[in-house]
Structures are given as structure tokens and as C-alpha cells.
């Protein structure tokens, strides 16, 4: 292992500038892409917190009898996507409302009769990417006996979720573009390196080195460059994140907007991507180079 | 007497021609080289000596005719097998062809590794080769900083590193002082005694008379004479 690393480093030293360019471009791509991913992850986490909190308010028919209400509760509970259910009597609803109004709660004092109906508050198993599943559940409940109206913030939540999905698509697209762009760029710098080493490669062939014997070290070097680029890009992002985190912690004491770093899987995926950039860049440039 | 003729041929050329565009570099060459032969290719500059050597290790491909090297028919050999053919050879190029960006040690280690010697033996082998050519104290030097004679010795060490069956040397003494030339020729003879077939291209007839052996005379791409010259006794 040490032996191979030494060999790789020795070979890379000969084209310090071009190899540095390869590392820098990979690192920059990784940095930009993963910064966007970081942003998305945090917005997504925020969205999930909201969406998970989303509930369907099932307003009951004022004439519904206790038995109907109980049966309705059982029926709702038996829907697979429902994860919780709470009966909210109209008095409790009014109290809640009053509490929400706070200091202006006295506004309600003038109202003689409680205008609110009894309701079920239904918790649904949805995440931001499966928001679509809440609609059918609400529809099913709405058609049940004793239900007057259902409400689940379909309008604004739906819009928010749509934006989030668009953002996710953009992220994938960006990932693809950055990946291809970097591969192309790296392939070309590697080709320049190969070109500058063509005499060496020709001599190796003349003394009987097999194509694989010539290629493997070049692959090793390219993978190494990709690895360094990935580590650098993610490392810089992590430092920036720590800086930002410190600032946010200073200015906003609320735990509401708590930012976090990329989860391990995404960081690992970005890192693998940078290795793949090295490998593919090498593959492409070698194909072109060895043909000529 | 040299033992050629009685032994099987390691190289056979039959009606071989090589053209570079319209220019004929070699014409109608038929030649057998016996295993463990010590052979000179002689002739004036431009006669086709280098070209003939190149055809043997597929540095160039023949335009016509058939070449068989140690059982391999060069016109049928696949690209993948070319390295296998080349590892039968130890080649001392006229311009040495050392890798300028690798030091002496690494230039030789390259071949030792390429022939598949296991890693822990590499260092020992390279150092022993460097001792053989008396270059052990320059192992960290880079080729451009070496004199012509020193580069030539490194080239010899690299040529014998893979323990080749055939050693090919193109003007090995051409640009060397008498001392270096003697060292090089001594090494070639040593490996000949150890069983290698040695082919030396040279226009230096004095060198041939010093050593003796079969001589192939090329002129303007034609094989003119094949004769045995005895070693000159001083
Ligand atoms: N790559 C080449 N392209 C065109 N002509 C060549 C090439 N190599 C050699 N020749 C020609 O072939 C002839 C033989 O060259 P060469 O084999 O190098 O001779 P020698 O080694 O005996 O001096 C010369 O006339 C030379 O100009
Ligand atoms: Mg020549």
C-alpha cells in the first residue's frame, strides 16, 4: 500500500501543474455541487418536519350521533396510511383557538355560541416526497358517513412540495451536468499529461511492457487525483459549513432553523462521484490516446 | 568455430522487404540466425541495419515476406502478443531511449517489473544489474546528467534485465571512447556465453575484427555477403 502510494506520488510529481489542475477542477465541482446538495438537504429536512406535522382535520357533521362518530374513528384508523387519530371536541377546539389568539382571545368573548364543530385530527404517514398520498386518504375520509368537511392545507403545502420536488430534480440535473463536465475536463488534462509522457510510454512498449502494465499506474494516478479532489471539495465545504453554523448559532438562537451537514450517504456518494470522475476521465483519455 | 548452422534457427527471415513510402529500405532479405549466434550486421550508413533490427521486434512491420522469431510468425501475431515478443529481446537502441524523467534505478526496475519479477526481488536484481555495468553509484542520477558512455551502460543493463533470449544492439560503440566500448562488448560476449543470441549492427569494421563472428553485409537494402570473420589475434 505504502509502496503503491509512493509510486503514484512519484509519477504525479512529474506533471505537478496539470495534476494540480485536475485536482482543483474536481474539488471545485465537488464543492459547488455539494454546497447545493447541502442547501437542499436542509430545506428538505425543514420541509419534512412540516409535512410530517401535517394533519387532516376531519370536521364532523353537527348532527352526527356518538355511535357514528365512534364508528368513523375506527374506519379512519383502519386506513393503512394513517398513523394516528385524535378526537377534538368542539369545546377543546375553541380553547385551542383561544390559546392561539393569545392576548386577543377576548375577541371570542362576544360570541354567544361555539361556532366550531367536533373534529378528528388525523396524522398521516407522509414525507415531502410522498405528499401525493395524503390526497386520496383525505378523499376516502371525506366520503365517509358523518363527515362534513376535510382540510389538510392542500393548497400551500402542495405548492411547497412542488417547489421542493423541482429543487430535487434540479439537484439531480446539476449533479449530472457537473459530473459530465468534470469528466470531460479531467479527461482532457489527463490527455495532456499522457501526451507529455508519450516518449516514456513508447519506450515502455518497446521494452516489452504490456498495455495493462502501462495503464494501471495511470488509472491509479487518476483515481488518486479524483480522491484528493473529492476530499478537498468536501473538506472545504465542511469548513464553510462550520463557519456558517457558528454564525447562525450566534444570531439565531431558535432551534427552528437548525442546519446540519450532508448525511454520510450523500457525502459518500459525492466522494464516489469524484473517484468515478478520475476513473472515467482516465478511461476516456486513454482510449483516445492509445488509439493515436 | 562458432556453432551456427548446426543449431536450430531462432530467427528466420524469408524474402523480406521494407519500404517507407516509395523508398526501399530493405529488399528481398532471406536470412537465418541460429540460436546463441554472435552476429554482426554491417554496412555503410543508410544500408538498412537499423530497419532490419526494427523488423525483428516489430518496431516496424515488414512490407513483404515472412519473419519468424522463436516460433512466432510476426505477420500473424496479435497486438496483445507484441509485448510477449518484445520481452524475448533485450534492445540497446542507438539513441539509448532511456526515460529522461526516471532515474537510472527506475529505468531498469521498469523492465524487471514488466517481466513480472516479484516485488521483493526487484531491488536486489536491479542493484546486481547496476553492479554488472559498474553504475551502482549513479543509480539515483537522471539520464540527461550522464555521459554517453554511462547512458550506454544503463541501456545495456536495461537490455539484459529481462534475461532475454536475443540481445540486439544498434551501433553500441558508435559514440563511445575505446574504454567504454570494450566494457560494452565484454558484457555482450558474457551474455552470449550465457546462452543469448547477440545481434550487433555496426559500421565499425575494426570492432568486428576484434571480436570475430558471422558478419552480414548490407548495402542499400540488399544482403550482399554473409561470412565468418575470425577473431583477430593481437
Ligand atoms: N522512418 C523512416 N521513414 C523514411 N525512411 C526511412 C525511415 N527509417 C529509415 N529510412 C530510410 O531507410 C534507409 C535505411 O535506414 P537505416 O535502416 O536507418 O540504415 P542504417 O541503420 O544502416 O544506417 C535509409 O535510406 C533511411 O533514410
Ligand atoms: Mg542505423
Amino acid at each position: 500500500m505504502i509502496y503503491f502510494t509512493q509510486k503514484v506520488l512519484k509519477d504525479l510529481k512529474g506533471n505537478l501543474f496539470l495534476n494540480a489542475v485536475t485536482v482543483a477542477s474536481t474539488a471545485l465541482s465537488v464543492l459547488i455541487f455539494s454546497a447545493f446538495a447541502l442547501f437542499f438537504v436542509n430545506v428538505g429536512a425543514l420541509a419534512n418536519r412540516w409535512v410530517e406535522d401535517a394533519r387532516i382535520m376531519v370536521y364532523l357533521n353537527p348532527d352526527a350521533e356518538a355511535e357514528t362518530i365512534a364508528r368513523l374513528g375506527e374506519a379512519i384508523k383502519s386506513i393503512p396510511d394513517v398513523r394516528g387519530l385524535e378526537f377534538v371536541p368542539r369545546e377543546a377546539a375553541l380553547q385551542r383557538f383561544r390559546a392561539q389568539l393569545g392576548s386577543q382571545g377576548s375577541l371570542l368573548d362576544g360570541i354567544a355560541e361555539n361556532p366550531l364543530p367536533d373534529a378528528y385530527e388525523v396524522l398521516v404517514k407522509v414525507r415531502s416526497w410522498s405528499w401525493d398520498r395524503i390526497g386520496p386518504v383525505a378523499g376516502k375520509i371525506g366520503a365517509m358517513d358523518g363527515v362534513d368537511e376535510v382540510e389538510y392545507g392542500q393548497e400551500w403545502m402542495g405548492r411547497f412540495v412542488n417547489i421542493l420536488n423541482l429543487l430535487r430534480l434540479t439537484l439531480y440535473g446539476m449533479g449530472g451536468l457537473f459530473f459530465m463536465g468534470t469528466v470531460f475536463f479531467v479527461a482532457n488534462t489527463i490527455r495532456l499529461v499522457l501526451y507529455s509522457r508519450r516518449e516514456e510510454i513508447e519506450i515502455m512498449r518497446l521494452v516489452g511492457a504490456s498495455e495493462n502494465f502501462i495503464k494501471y499506474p495511470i488509472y491509479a494516478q487518476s483515481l488518486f487525483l479524483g480522491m484528493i479532489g473529492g476530499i478537498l471539495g468536501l473538506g472545504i465545504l465542511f469548513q464553510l459549513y462550520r463557519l456558517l453554523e457558528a454564525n447562525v448559532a450566534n444570531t439565531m438562537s431558535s432551534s427552528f432553523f437548525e442546519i446540519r451537514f450532508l448525511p454520510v450517504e450523500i457525502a459518500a456518494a459525492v466522494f464516489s462521484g469524484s473517484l468515478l470522475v478520475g476513473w472515467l476521465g482516465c478511461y476516456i483519455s486513454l482510449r483516445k490516446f492509445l488509439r493515436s | 568455430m562458432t556453432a551456427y548452422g548446426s543449431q536450430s534457427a531462432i530467427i528466420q527471415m524469408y524474402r523480406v522487404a521494407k519500404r517507407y513510402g516509395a523508398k526501399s529500405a530493405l529488399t528481398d532479405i532471406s536470412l537465418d540466425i541460429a540460436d546463441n549466434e554472435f552476429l554482426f550486421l554491417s554496412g555503410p550508413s543508410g544500408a538498412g541495419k537499423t530497419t532490419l533490427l526494427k523488423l525483428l521486434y516489430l518496431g516496424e512491420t515488414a512490407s513483404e515476406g515472412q519473419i519468424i522469431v522463436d516460433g512466432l510468425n510476426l505477420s500473424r501475431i496479435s497486438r496483445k502478443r507484441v509485448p510477449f515478443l518484445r520481452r524475448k529481446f533485450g534492445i540497446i537502441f542507438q539513441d539509448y531511449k532511456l526515460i529522461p524523467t526516471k532515474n537510472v534505478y527506475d529505468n531498469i526496475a521498469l523492465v524487471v517489473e514488466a517481466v513480472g519479477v516479484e516485488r521483493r526481488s526487484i531491488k536486489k536484481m536491479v542493484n546486481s544489474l547496476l553492479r554488472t555495468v559498474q553504475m551502482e553509484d549513479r543509480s539515483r542520477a537522471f539520464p540527461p546528467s550522464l555521459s554517453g558512455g554511462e547512458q550506454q551502460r544503463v541501456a545495456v543493463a536495461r537490455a539484459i534485465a529481462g534475461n532475454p533470449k536475443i540481445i540486439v544492439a544498434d551501433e553500441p560503440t558508435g559514440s563511445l571512447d575505446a574504454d567504454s566500448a570494450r566494457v560494452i562488448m565484454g558484457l555482450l560476449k558474457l551474455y552470449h556465453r550465457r546462452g543469448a543470441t547477440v545481434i550487433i549492427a555496426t559500421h565499425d569494421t575494426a570492432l568486428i575484427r576484434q571480436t570475430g563472428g558471422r558478419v552480414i553485409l548490407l548495402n542499400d537494402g540488399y544482403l550482399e555477403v554473409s561470412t565468418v570473420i575470425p577473431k583477430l589475434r593481437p
Side-chain angles (χ1 to χ4, degrees):
Chain A
M1 196 60 208
I2 296 169
Y3 174 79
F4 281 116
T5 316
Q6 275 175 347
K7 264 183 83 103
V8 165
L9 285 178
K10 210 167 170 184
D11 277 333
L12 290 175
K13 230 168 49 185
N15 283 86
L16 215 50
F17 176 72
L18 285 173
N19 291 324
V21 167
T22 298
V23 168
S25 61
T26 311
L28 193 67
S29 294
V30 164
L31 177 62
I32 295 173
F33 173 74
S34 50
F36 193 80
L38 183 66
F39 171 74
F40 176 81
V41 160
N42 281 290
V43 172
L46 194 65
N48 269 329
R49 244 172 287 151
W50 286 346
V51 170
E52 264 169 47
D53 242 26
R55 48 204 66 202
I56 302 174
M57 290 307 299
V58 181
Y59 299 110
L60 304 179
N61 215 320
D63 323 325
E65 288 164 22
E67 199 191 331
T68 320
I69 294 172
R71 228 182 307 121
L72 179 65
E74 288 308 310
I76 292 174
K77 240 190 256 175
S78 70
I79 298 175
D81 280 340
V82 167
R83 67 179 168 91
L85 177 78
E86 196 194 342
F87 182 67
V88 185
R90 50 207 296 250
E91 298 76 28
L94 187 65
Q95 260 171 30
R96 240 196 236 178
F97 192 32
R98 198 188 290 276
Q100 271 169 17
L101 288 176
S103 59
Q104 287 164 334
S106 56
L107 282 175
L108 294 175
D109 291 346
I111 298 169
E113 208 184 323
N114 182 355
L116 302 173
D118 287 334
Y120 272 120
E121 197 178 64
V122 181
L123 293 169
V124 186
K125 292 176 200 152
V126 280
R127 316 275 285 157
S128 63
W129 56 87
S130 58
W131 174 250
D132 289 348
R133 280 157 65 175
I134 203 169
V137 175
K140 217 185 251 176
I141 296 172
M144 286 175 176
D145 240 10
V147 177
D148 188 23
E149 206 188 333
V150 291
E151 195 188 275
Y152 60 94
Q154 47 273 61
E155 281 281 309
W156 71 271
M157 258 317 214
R159 213 171 294 152
F160 180 68
V161 165
N162 278 342
I163 290 173
L164 210 65
N165 286 335
L166 198 71
L167 219 60
R168 183 181 294 126
L169 279 181
T170 315
L171 184 75
Y172 293 158
M174 247 181 80
L177 279 178
F178 266 83
F179 181 74
M180 288 191 301
T182 318
V183 165
F184 178 77
F185 188 82
V186 165
N188 274 303
T189 36
I190 292 177
R191 198 138 61 99
L192 288 178
V193 171
L194 290 178
Y195 192 73
S196 76
R197 288 174 62 184
R198 67 194 181 286
E199 186 192 357
E200 174 186 345
I201 290 170
E202 191 46 41
I203 291 173
M204 286 172 80
R205 279 181 176 152
L206 282 174
V207 300
S210 68
E211 291 298 286
N212 282 346
F213 184 85
I214 295 171
K215 276 183 199 169
Y216 286 163
I218 300 172
Y219 271 110
Q221 289 153 33
S222 306
L223 276 175
F224 185 81
L225 293 179
M227 182 179 87
I228 299 295
I231 290 174
L232 257 174
L234 286 171
I236 292 172
L237 183 73
F238 187 67
Q239 288 309 318
L240 290 177
Y241 158 78
R242 290 242 306 234
L243 242 129
L244 189 73
E245 193 191 31
N247 277 332
V248 167
N250 282 344
T251 53
M252 289 205 262
S253 54
S254 98
S255 64
F256 168 72
F257 196 72
E258 176 197 347
I259 56 170
R260 44 180 157 158
F261 196 61
L262 293 174
V264 180
E265 314 89 72
I266 295 187
V270 169
F271 183 65
S272 313
S274 69
L275 288 182
L276 198 61
V277 161
W279 188 85
L280 259 182
C282 183
Y283 176 79
I284 292 169
S285 59
L286 269 177
R287 271 180 58 127
K288 281 189 188 166
F289 182 79
L290 294 180
R291 225 187 287 141
S292 61
Chain B
M1 271 307 288
T2 40
Y4 75 95
S6 63
Q7 283 169 331
S8 60
I10 194 167
I11 292 170
Q12 291 167 285
M13 300 178 86
Y14 181 70
R15 312 212 63 168
V16 173
K18 175 64 185 174
R19 286 181 291 275
Y20 291 107
K23 160 89 189 150
S24 271
L26 288 173
T27 312
D28 199 16
I29 305 282
S30 294
L31 172 68
D32 278 9
I33 301 173
D35 197 5
N36 197 214
E37 197 171 333
F38 199 95
L39 178 80
F40 286 101
L41 274 183
S42 120
S45 180
K49 305 181 292 293
T50 301
T51 304
L52 196 150
L53 295 182
K54 281 182 180 167
L55 293 182
L56 298 180
Y57 57 81
L58 281 177
E60 295 281 358
T61 45
S63 313
E64 263 173 49
Q66 194 178 41
I67 304 174
I68 293 172
V69 174
D70 199 22
L72 296 172
N73 184 339
L74 301 196
S75 52
R76 300 233 190 91
I77 196 169
S78 71
R79 253 179 83 102
K80 268 217 149 73
R81 296 264 287 173
V82 170
F84 176 71
L85 167 77
R86 289 188 179 154
R87 289 204 286 268
K88 292 179 182 297
F89 286 90
I91 309 169
I92 302 163
F93 300 92
Q94 186 164 12
D95 56 353
Y96 316 132
K97 289 208 192 306
L98 299 175
I99 298 171
T101 51
K102 285 190 193 298
N103 66 27
V104 167
Y105 179 95
D106 288 333
N107 261 283
I108 297 166
L110 175 78
V111 175
V112 178
E113 269 180 79
V115 298
V117 170
E118 48 179 287
R119 207 184 314 141
R120 55 199 170 81
S121 315
I122 289 175
K123 196 168 173 187
K124 233 177 82 187
M125 275 195 67
V126 175
N127 285 330
S128 134
L129 285 160
L130 283 171
R131 251 192 317 279
T132 306
V133 296
Q134 293 159 32
M135 286 291 289
E136 65 264 56
D137 51 338
R138 302 304 308 273
S139 71
R140 300 289 148 201
F142 287 83
S145 72
L146 300 177
S147 74
E150 288 172 321
Q151 288 190 47
Q152 182 71 293
R153 280 191 238 170
V154 178
V156 170
R158 187 182 63 183
I160 59 185
N163 199 17
K165 280 192 157 177
I166 307 162
I167 296 176
V168 160
D170 198 354
E171 310 280 1
T173 59
S175 52
L176 299 186
D177 55 282
D179 254 8
S180 293
R182 223 180 346 266
V183 172
I184 302 294
M185 288 308 290
L187 282 166
L188 292 177
K189 275 186 269 186
L190 173 67
Y191 278 82
H192 174 242
R193 277 201 297 281
R194 290 190 185 171
T197 305
V198 177
I199 307 169
I200 300 168
T202 181
H203 60 262
D204 181 357
T205 45
L207 181 75
I208 300 174
R209 263 181 268 117
Q210 274 167 27
T211 316
R214 182 155 72 121
V215 180
I216 302 290
L217 180 65
L218 289 176
N219 200 356
D220 201 17
Y222 287 88
L223 196 161
E224 299 234 306
V225 187
S226 167
T227 182
V228 178
I229 295 202
K231 183 178 161 111
L232 184 78
R233 306 218 171 262

